[in-house]
Amino acid sequence: MNHNAPLFGRPGRPRSIPHPSLPPDLRDLRDVRLRVMSLPQLRAHGVSAAETSARCRPGGAWQQHLPGVYLLHQGPPTGEERLHGALLYAGRPTASGTVLPAQPAARGYGAPSGRLGPTDPGGGSGEGTGEAPSPYRDAMITGLAALALHGFAAAPSLLALDRLDVLVPRTRRLRSVPGVRLVRSAALPRAQQITGVPVAPVPRALTDAVAALGDSPSVRLLLTEAVRTRHCEPGAVVSELNHARLLSRPHVVDAVDSLLAEGRAIAEDRLYRMVSAHGLPAPIWNVDLRLSDGPPLGGVDAYWPEHAVAVELDTRPPRPGARPQDPAERAEWARCARKRERLEECGITVVHITPRKLRDGAEQQATVVRSALLNAAGREPAARVVVLPR
């Protein structure tokens, strides 16, 4: 059997064919990591550079997929093979499998959510966790490919994408190549594992996808789906877009307006369900308050007139890097403080709740509201307030 002998049959359904010149651990190619390999990995398995070149000659059994990355079969790569090939190119693992320490997680990203599969040794640094080190170092899939892996209906399928975006450290000395675009970042988020592939969290993947899109409908579809399907909170998306300086693009601003409206609707729905599920008295929803003989006091999302207790959803998007001395930030906080002071001067207790608190701790927030209602009995009567629909 010569170098042109195939190692398996049709692409996508690899089978094991014994070959005396190959190590035993490369004869069974059902694992994608043994169908797509880098040159250092092949050397670690005992396959020399000369043998690799010979197998990639015209009519050979293998083919070069990307610089330094090889498919151990002929024919087009599958979507899974494209993912692992792009990560191998961006990560460039060493022959020994050693990796550099991963970048610290950026901007508060946490562990993978419950809808993702269990952590797989194929992604993440593994350092200090007892897991196997990643063969891709700290590279991760981002952009539209990442959104497809996260299950976005508005994202194209992996096979429909002409290129895959891979997030890498800013210092990585590599260039983008046909089929793979490198996205550099000074601080990397913590990757989430989806089917063994390290993937950027939804807010970061959305931002990298939006950066490459120029049409408003596509951007709006992606952003609204992220919030509507509970992939992430609007504030996290706006924070990433602002960090990437994309909020100056008109089509992105239009899409963010739709995103925030969608996020507020979801937060209001969670508030309705919190009141109902935890047996709180029914409030008056979405009203404006004003003194009977004075100026308006402002709008609230829920109001109990018998108890003079109001709930206000804080759906303002975060402003990363904003400082208290910034004029816009100072004016916004001053406006909110004045509104709360006016309500409290009239004897109205205001409970502020963020969408994240409603999502992660609805029972705790219901307890806060119940305590405010119970404490109303010991307070002075509120000023005469007129309740108007908002």
Side-chain angles (χ1 to χ4, degrees), residues 250-261:
H251 69 284
V252 176
V253 173
D254 293 341
V256 166
D257 290 341
S258 300
L259 169 76
L260 296 177

Side-chain angles (χ1 to χ4, degrees), residues 179-369:
V180 177
R181 182 176 76 102
L182 299 183
V183 181
R184 305 180 189 278
S185 178
L188 299 180
R190 183 177 301 161
Q192 295 178 341
Q193 298 299 316
I194 303 179
T195 64
V197 177
V199 181
V202 169
R204 179 59 200 250
L206 269 173
T207 298
D208 292 331
V210 167
L213 294 174
D215 59 308
S216 182
S218 298
V219 173
R220 185 181 295 109
L221 279 175
L222 291 173
L223 295 187
T224 54
E225 181 179 351
V227 176
R228 185 176 301 158
T229 55
R230 312 300 201 264
H231 282 289
C232 60
E233 296 295 333
V237 178
V238 176
S239 175
E240 278 289 348
L241 292 173
N242 187 55
H243 186 269
R245 300 179 180 179
L246 295 176
L247 293 181
S248 59
R249 301 183 182 182
H251 69 284
V252 176
V253 173
D254 293 341
V256 166
D257 290 341
S258 300
L259 169 76
L260 296 177
E262 186 77 24
R264 166 160 274 281
I266 291 173
E268 289 175 348
D269 179 65
R270 288 174 179 164
L271 181 59
Y272 298 152
R273 287 188 280 114
M274 182 199 79
V275 170
S276 174
H278 294 86
L280 296 174
I284 303 173
W285 297 104
N286 293 319
V287 293
D288 280 322
L289 305 179
R290 66 179 302 150
L291 293 174
S292 59
D293 56 352
L297 300 173
V300 294
D301 295 283
Y303 184 60
W304 289 263
E306 298 85 358
H307 305 80
V309 173
V311 168
E312 186 173 16
L313 290 173
D314 188 358
T315 56
R316 294 171 298 165
R319 299 178 46 148
R323 299 169 297 175
Q325 61 268 30
D326 290 342
E329 189 74 5
R330 187 169 60 246
E332 176 66 15
W333 281 107
R335 185 189 67 80
C336 295
R338 284 197 303 270
K339 176 182 175 181
R340 182 164 189 165
E341 289 172 0
R342 287 197 302 266
L343 291 171
E344 291 180 345
E345 287 172 357
C346 295
I348 298 173
T349 300
V350 183
V351 179
H352 282 269
I353 303 179
T354 64
R356 182 181 294 275
K357 290 180 179 179
L358 273 177
R359 182 195 66 185
D360 299 337
E363 183 177 358
Q364 181 181 3
Q365 298 309 307
T367 301
V368 173
V369 174

Side-chain angles (χ1 to χ4, degrees), residues 43 54 62 82 96 112 145 150 175 277-278 301 313 334 370 385:
R43 286 172 178 165
W62 295 358
R82 289 185 65 200
S96 63
H150 280 293
R175 295 180 180 179
H278 294 86
D301 295 283
L313 290 173
R370 181 176 288 109
V385 174

Side-chain angles (χ1 to χ4, degrees), residues 82-95:
R82 289 185 65 200
L83 289 172
H84 288 277
L87 288 167
L88 283 175
Y89 171 73
R92 291 293 178 93
T94 62

